[in-house]
Amino acid sequence: MKEDKEKGMLKNLMELLDKYEELTLEGVSLSADELEINIKSSKALQGKIIREELGKTLLELGKALIKGGLAEAITPPTLTQIQSQIQQPLLPSKPLELKESDYKLPIKKYSGKIVEVTIGATKEEGGTRGKKVIVGGECMPAFHLFEGLQPYAPAIAGDVFDMPISLPKPVKECFGDALQDPVEWSKLLVEKVGVDLIDLELISTDPYIKDTPVSEAVKLVEKVLQTVKVPIIVGGSGNPDKDAQLLPKVAEVCEGERVVLSSATLDMWEPVALAAKKHNHVILAWTSIDLNQAKELNRKLLQYVPLNQILIDPTSAALGYGFEYAFTIMERIRLAAIMGDNELQCPQISGTANAWGAREAWIKDPRLGPREFRGPLWETIGALAYLLAGIDIFIMLHPAAIRTVKDVIGWLMGGKNPETFSQWLGVGG
Amino acid sequence: MAYGRKESRNFLSMVRSRRLKMPKKIGPLMIYPLLPKTNCGRCPPKVCMGFAVQLTDRSLSLEDCPPLFEEKKYEENLKKLRELLAPSVREVIIGSKEKQVKIGGKLVLRRHELRYSNPTTIAVLIDDGMKDEDISKWIDEVNSFRYRYVGMDLTLDMLAIRSTSKDQERFEKVIKKVADKTNLPMVLWAESSILERGLKVVEDRRPLIYAATKDNWGEIGAIALKYKCPLAIYSPNDIKMLKSLVNTLKSWGIEDFVLDIGAAFGKDIAATINNLTMMRISAIEEKDELLAYPLLGIPVRIWDEENGKSPELLSWEESCLASMMLIRYVDMLIIRRATFWSTLPLLILRNNIYNDPRKPVSVEPGLRVVGNPNEDSPVLVTSNFALTFYTVMGDIEKLDCYILVADSEGLSVESAIAGRKLTAEKIAEIIRFSKIEEKIKHRTIIIPGLAARLKGDIEDATKWDVLVGPRDSSMIQAFLKEKWYGKDHTPGWSYK
């Protein structure tokens, strides 16, 4: 009976609204166990203002009911409840059907293309590599897969040094005694970690370190070539005078293998360019976070070799240590290349292992958490960011970082890479 | 959440070639006619044309021109200017007046085009199904998370509270607890039937409501409208549906949306990364109004299908996914926990990417003491470009020496010398200012190899001897061994 009464009252209220469009209730008390509202379609109720006013009125009504303690069991009707009760014709401005929208992919046409660079040569091609690595060939920004296909998977080179150097503990723990022997270290990287290339750094040739003679250094290069069947990058010490002697000799003993000579710089490029031309190798063109320098160096190198014998290394800063400058230069080089700047249309290579230069990666500090996770994660995140900037070859150090980046590349390429990297972290799973 | 293989390929099958449509670039000549043109001198450049230029590169804002706001006759022009200068992505504010975060408000697709605004906000997730003491612990972790980096504190920004208990009362209780312990802005993540009671507790804090989907948009939309809260739209791997939801709810009068297209670490990462990229390009370069809202990335989803993985591995994967989403434009992230080792690289990545690329990053000029130097220890000089400085510090940290950081106006040694920002006078100035002469017996300074040509000038200006160091700081150790300490180990020399 009570219910009917309430209904009747609300009905009256609605009719009043119909007539007057506005209504003030004064000195009214209501009590009810349940409020059910049925409102018929009505001209006066059309339109947003009235709809909202009605909602508010009903809410106020509900609140007043509770406040007054007249009917504790009643919760004020929410707009949701009101809406579900009010039928659609009443509320044309609040569609209850989805307003379907279309989406067109934002595809652009790019006039330029990164050249394809082949590293390594198989037996048929006059070398002894088990496989070769091809990178480049893209004609869209990094992994804009909606605009074009990524022709070749970016590759990972494992970093190997020709003498024991000070390495962060998490890296040491992964490789153990192999670190004492560059040949064993290379083998482990290829067989256990699955790198695509080996980057052999002949740092001991530096006159300020051990001044290893060129003749001795190239013996190690030959030994590594005999042991692993992946293509290799051979790095000098960075001492321009010594590198000018070392790298041409490396080019000579690696004849037929199409290795990467690392590196040509604005200080010392001609001997490397000549050697690469004569023995058909690839040049790593290294400049220091400066697009114009990268262009300038390429212009010089292009007098001797075509674009497909050059990899641009625009310098990879560690996360937190100038990372953004490196990231942006890489992104700009990629964009310039696909927009048609043919002096920059080479794949880019990154010394991603520089990540370990960040003290946050290796420092022993309990507050920062276990460094066996922190360090490789630092390297991984830098690599993933550089991957999205347009890097084609990563030179990396830690197995877990290498595995993760390899997995992500595999997923982005649409392939599957079920192997887990967690064994290198010792976290299981 | 995982996309099926078929779905993950959807975006490839949708590929249709289209003519290149570039965004209209705003130039000073478009702005100038709308300014007062009185050259009244009240803005920093003093003249209207200069002001127009600085509006274009966003180094000044409309508020820097008081007449526009004071005089009624400019009202119409002010409105036009606001439209002209509006960011391509809407800025959405979450939180109360006292404590809020701004997300979105993006002007460009890539940072070198101008700069990114509003660094990606990072929220930590709390499930109401967690034990009370764990909830307290996690909130404390977020509150106390702090890392000192290039002169600033890196911190976390928000808390997201998710209803996993599916119990209104519990959800409300946890929200109350969080609200008591912190004033950080919040995300409330619940079904429409659970949400409202908890929302009422923090109504005045304007939390972000998560989320309207194709199944619940009516109820959730009504709540967002009622409480005037920003609303997240979740449409996994379906941009069309996402747009339809925005389109519908926008017509209801909701203005602030945040868009979540899903997150996957695994083979579907290709879809995750490409969806985000496409949406942001559509918003900025194609002016797609229904996508011109901040993007939300929820890498924490990977914890929901942990497949027996260890928490460390999940943190690892989450951090990798979050980083890639941060690079690909997300304006806000929800992560599992403020675990230091997995969260710190994310915060540093954010800081780096959101640096203004037009401003060189610099450190305070002055004296730095490395290790335990004595009166015979070497004194080296470098620039105050942060990258140079930190690189040098990294290379010499095992030595005992003094470093004089000269004011090169934030440029690297090479650029600073070319641009005459690093001069003999600057080096003389830092020698005086640092009072280094009181700490050492000798008077020999080691300058960077790239500064070799300043040798004579420095000797004249300082009366010190100048030793030209290596071109790269990685060689400093070897250099000192040979040139400073010679064959004999001088006191103070130590390999630690």
Side-chain angles (χ1 to χ4, degrees):
Chain A
M1 281 307 281
K2 213 157 122 198
E3 236 176 82
D4 287 347
K5 208 172 160 190
E6 295 301 341
K7 262 191 203 164
M9 183 160 180
L10 270 169
K11 199 174 161 226
N12 289 342
L13 197 142
M14 293 309 147
E15 277 166 9
L16 280 169
L17 266 173
D18 257 356
K19 244 189 239 169
Y20 296 109
E21 298 189 12
E22 196 175 323
L23 190 71
T24 313
L25 296 176
E26 270 176 13
V28 177
S29 68
L30 287 172
S31 74
D33 292 320
E34 198 177 284
L35 272 175
E36 196 184 324
I37 307 159
N38 286 306
I39 305 169
K40 64 172 197 260
S41 181
S42 147
K43 236 190 217 167
L45 278 171
Q46 306 274 344
K48 198 176 164 206
I49 299 164
I50 294 173
R51 189 189 75 239
E52 283 179 355
E53 286 304 314
L54 173 64
K56 272 189 212 158
T57 309
L58 290 170
L59 278 177
E60 288 307 312
L61 199 64
K63 279 182 192 163
L65 284 171
I66 284 196
K67 227 181 188 172
L70 292 168
E72 279 170 23
I74 302 173
T75 49
T78 64
L79 260 187
T80 325
Q81 286 157 356
I82 295 162
Q83 186 203 307
S84 62
Q85 305 235 354
I86 296 174
Q87 291 308 297
Q88 199 187 353
L90 261 178
L91 301 165
S93 65
K94 190 190 266 191
L96 296 177
E97 290 279 314
L98 265 187
K99 291 172 75 169
E100 285 199 21
S101 304
D102 209 4
Y103 183 61
K104 280 185 196 157
L105 296 178
I107 293 165
K108 280 181 224 151
K109 285 259 174 262
Y110 303 96
S111 58
K113 189 179 175 185
I114 314 285
V115 296
E116 291 175 12
V117 172
T118 304
I119 305 161
T122 58
K123 212 170 171 186
E124 299 81 64
E125 293 151 329
T128 60
R129 302 301 83 204
K131 60 161 199 166
K132 51 192 181 179
V133 167
I134 308 175
V135 289
E138 301 97 341
C139 48
M140 78 290 189
F143 284 100
H144 278 209
L145 298 173
F146 57 98
E147 293 190 281
L149 289 171
Q150 174 77 22
Y152 303 102
I156 299 178
D159 227 348
V160 172
F161 297 89
D162 70 340
M163 59 176 275
I165 58 159
S166 126
L167 283 167
K169 200 160 170 255
V171 177
K172 279 189 191 156
E173 280 169 353
C174 286
F175 292 104
D177 291 341
L179 292 181
Q180 307 300 318
D181 178 357
V183 178
E184 276 308 303
W185 189 355
S186 305
K187 226 172 128 184
L188 190 60
L189 276 167
V190 174
E191 288 168 10
K192 294 277 174 13
V193 187
V195 296
D196 307 298
L197 308 110
I198 289 293
D199 173 48
L200 178 61
E201 297 279 346
L202 303 171
I203 55 165
S204 77
T205 57
D206 190 317
Y208 290 105
I209 299 175
K210 275 190 179 170
D211 206 8
T212 305
V214 170
S215 56
E216 199 181 308
V218 296
K219 274 185 200 144
L220 177 63
V221 177
E222 288 176 302
K223 223 168 147 190
V224 170
L225 276 173
Q226 282 158 17
T227 311
V228 299
K229 290 296 153 203
V230 297
I232 65 165
I233 301 166
V234 184
S237 64
N239 180 296
D241 300 331
K242 189 67 178 275
D243 282 0
Q245 302 164 38
L246 174 71
L247 294 175
K249 190 71 192 166
V250 169
E252 196 186 311
V253 304
C254 296
E255 172 85 44
E257 298 284 8
R258 202 166 166 99
V259 301
V260 179
L261 302 172
S262 166
S263 58
T265 62
L266 282 169
D267 287 342
M268 196 284 286
W269 57 272
E270 206 161 15
V272 186
L274 274 166
K277 185 188 168 151
K278 191 171 168 194
H279 303 285
N280 189 29
H281 295 303
V282 176
I283 301 168
L284 184 147
W286 181 64
T287 48
S288 188
I289 316 195
D290 186 325
L291 189 135
N292 292 324
Q293 278 186 16
K295 248 173 103 86
E296 190 188 334
L297 180 56
N298 267 15
R299 208 175 294 142
K300 290 181 194 294
L301 297 173
L302 285 168
Q303 299 166 20
Y304 292 88
V305 294
L307 276 171
N308 70 6
Q309 272 175 270
I310 302 174
L311 296 169
I312 299 177
D313 181 346
T315 298
S316 297
L319 187 58
Y321 294 77
F323 168 84
E324 66 273 37
Y325 298 91
F327 175 86
T328 284
I329 293 293
M330 290 168 189
E331 203 172 46
R332 285 179 59 199
I333 288 176
R334 175 62 165 267
L335 289 174
I338 58 171
M339 302 280 210
D341 185 339
N342 50 25
E343 283 170 344
L344 291 171
Q345 287 168 341
C346 312
Q348 296 185 69
I349 183 166
S350 153
T352 320
N354 288 350
W356 292 91
R359 69 179 52 230
E360 289 85 354
W362 51 262
I363 203 167
K364 203 174 172 183
D365 180 348
R367 200 177 92 90
L368 298 186
R371 58 179 172 168
E372 60 266 41
F373 303 149
R374 201 185 338 127
L377 184 62
W378 216 268
E379 190 180 0
T380 308
I381 287 181
L384 293 175
Y386 288 150
L387 181 69
L388 295 177
I391 288 296
D392 281 300
I393 302 179
F394 299 87
I395 302 171
M396 300 182 69
L397 206 47
H398 195 286
I402 294 172
R403 293 304 320 172
T404 307
V405 176
K406 226 174 151 40
D407 281 346
V408 170
I409 290 171
W411 295 327
L412 286 172
M413 296 298 294
K416 280 183 185 160
N417 205 339
E419 279 180 72
T420 173
F421 62 90
S422 53
Q423 51 184 307
W424 296 101
L425 281 174
V427 293
Chain B
M1 173 217 63
Y3 307 131
R5 186 184 308 195
K6 206 168 142 235
E7 281 86 345
S8 72
R9 290 281 161 266
N10 262 353
F11 65 86
L12 279 180
S13 61
M14 284 195 293
V15 170
R16 266 168 294 161
S17 190
R18 213 142 51 100
R19 275 186 64 81
L20 173 62
K21 211 164 64 180
M22 282 305 283
K24 204 172 56 177
K25 281 258 186 283
I26 311 291
L29 290 176
M30 294 162 74
I31 293 170
Y32 180 74
L34 297 167
L35 294 175
K37 297 186 288 268
T38 54
N39 296 336
C40 70
R42 291 172 70 188
C43 65
K46 311 276 187 211
V47 292
C48 293
M49 194 60 207
F51 182 58
V53 172
Q54 287 198 261
L55 279 179
T56 314
D57 70 15
R58 318 276 168 164
S59 53
L60 290 177
S61 60
L62 286 171
E63 284 70 25
D64 293 303
C65 174
L68 278 179
F69 296 85
E70 289 163 5
E71 293 176 50
K72 192 135 176 67
K73 62 180 174 188
Y74 298 132
E75 204 172 289
E76 194 59 29
N77 280 2
L78 179 61
K79 207 178 136 209
K80 282 185 191 155
L81 281 165
R82 280 205 164 119
E83 277 166 23
L84 206 56
L85 292 165
S88 306
V89 173
R90 186 179 171 86
E91 182 175 86
V92 170
I93 295 174
I94 304 167
S96 64
K97 276 204 183 65
E98 293 72 41
K99 187 78 182 172
Q100 56 178 225
V101 290
K102 288 179 183 167
I103 61 173
K106 294 292 194 291
L107 300 158
V108 290
L109 186 64
R110 297 189 174 88
R111 58 189 293 280
H112 68 265
E113 294 168 53
L114 190 62
R115 70 179 157 83
Y116 284 161
S117 29
N118 297 335
T120 305
T121 289
I122 301 177
V124 171
L125 182 68
I126 287 184
D127 282 335
D128 71 355
M130 287 162 53
K131 281 191 223 129
D132 280 354
E133 62 260 38
D134 286 342
I135 292 174
S136 300
K137 201 173 132 194
W138 287 32
I139 300 169
D140 291 342
E141 264 177 17
V142 173
N143 280 335
S144 64
F145 195 102
R146 203 162 298 277
Y147 186 75
R148 193 84 184 150
Y149 170 72
V150 282
M152 61 190 99
D153 279 332
L154 305 181
T155 55
L156 292 161
D157 315 289
M158 292 180 83
L159 281 159
I161 302 141
R162 173 167 70 172
S163 157
T164 47
S165 67
K166 310 285 174 208
D167 174 356
Q168 284 190 53
E169 208 172 311
R170 175 66 188 166
F171 190 55
E172 184 190 22
K173 197 182 151 207
V174 172
I175 290 170
K176 273 186 183 148
K177 191 180 173 82
V178 173
D180 285 346
K181 283 181 83 82
T182 170
N183 63 352
L184 291 178
M186 291 183 205
V187 183
L188 302 188
W189 177 344
E191 311 280 334
S192 53
S193 56
I194 307 283
L195 183 65
E196 195 167 0
R197 195 160 146 187
L199 175 57
K200 270 188 214 145
V201 179
V202 286
E203 193 183 347
D204 57 330
R205 292 205 193 182
R206 204 169 186 268
L208 173 67
I209 295 174
Y210 190 90
T213 65
K214 68 177 164 49
D215 302 316
N216 71 1
W217 59 270
E219 298 94 66
I220 289 273
I223 296 173
L225 196 61
K226 176 176 165 188
Y227 292 93
K228 297 189 172 57
C229 286
L231 175 64
I233 309 281
Y234 175 47
S235 171
N237 204 24
D238 188 345
I239 299 179
K240 254 165 110 169
M241 174 55 70
L242 189 94
K243 283 185 68 178
S244 303
L245 290 167
V246 171
N247 200 5
T248 311
L249 293 167
K250 203 177 165 186
S251 74
W252 281 27
I254 297 176
E255 290 178 335
D256 289 331
F257 297 101
V258 178
L259 313 179
D260 177 12
I261 194 69
F265 194 70
K267 62 186 169 58
D268 298 313
I269 199 166
T272 303
I273 294 305
N274 276 273
N275 281 331
L276 291 169
T277 308
M278 296 185 314
M279 285 161 70
R280 187 45 52 93
I281 293 174
S282 295
I284 290 185
E285 295 187 347
E286 313 247 327
K287 302 287 167 206
D288 187 332
E289 288 183 1
L290 296 177
L291 293 174
Y293 296 97
L295 301 173
L296 169 60
I298 311 196
V300 75
R301 285 189 192 284
I302 67 167
W303 288 76
D304 297 340
E305 10 180 288
E306 30 97 26
N307 295 329
K309 287 176 185 165
S310 67
E312 288 84 1
L313 191 52
L314 286 164
S315 284
W316 172 288
E317 292 187 346
E318 184 189 24
S319 198
C320 292
L321 176 58
S323 306
M324 292 181 79
M325 295 179 95
L326 194 145
I327 292 288
R328 283 297 160 90
Y329 318 120
V330 295
D331 302 284
M332 178 177 171
L333 283 164
I334 302 179
I335 61 168
R336 178 76 248 183
R337 198 174 169 181
T339 311
F340 225 99
W341 67 268
S342 62
T343 309
L344 184 61
L346 198 55
L347 292 186
I348 294 201
L349 181 68
R350 165 177 79 175
N351 176 284
N352 287 181
I353 289 297
Y354 279 80
N355 259 340
D356 187 342
R358 296 168 300 179
K359 280 185 199 149
V361 180
S362 56
V363 296
E364 275 300 299
L367 175 71
R368 304 290 197 288
V369 179
V370 182
N372 299 300
N374 62 24
E375 54 189 16
D376 296 316
S377 296
V379 178
L380 300 99
V381 68
T382 189
S383 81
N384 77 329
F385 175 44
L387 176 51
T388 308
F389 172 76
Y390 288 111
T391 309
V392 172
M393 292 302 267
D395 288 332
I396 59 164
E397 65 186 357
K398 289 192 176 152
L399 305 176
D400 297 313
C401 60
Y402 293 103
I403 297 288
L404 291 174
V405 183
D407 182 7
S408 63
E409 300 183 24
L411 293 174
S412 70
V413 173
E414 201 171 17
S415 321
I417 286 171
R420 305 222 26 91
K421 304 288 185 199
L422 185 62
T423 58
E425 289 68 39
K426 283 271 179 70
I427 288 171
E429 186 186 305
I430 194 70
I431 285 177
R432 276 196 309 276
F433 172 76
S434 65
K435 301 200 170 74
I436 182 71
E437 293 188 339
E438 294 168 13
K439 295 188 186 342
I440 47 164
K441 278 198 308 200
H442 67 84
R443 293 290 179 264
T444 301
I445 190 166
I446 300 166
I447 63 170
L450 293 168
R453 67 169 122 141
L454 295 183
K455 185 176 192 284
D457 289 350
I458 297 171
E459 283 169 345
D460 292 345
T462 63
K463 311 293 171 217
W464 279 42
D465 292 329
V466 172
L467 205 51
V468 177
R471 293 170 66 85
D472 189 281
S473 60
S474 61
M475 310 282 294
I476 288 175
Q477 194 158 317
F479 173 87
L480 289 179
K481 193 173 178 182
E482 187 184 317
K483 296 277 169 66
W484 187 264
Y485 298 103
K487 302 255 183 291
D488 304 311
H489 279 200
T490 313
W493 167 252
S494 67
Y495 273 111
K496 268 181 254 166

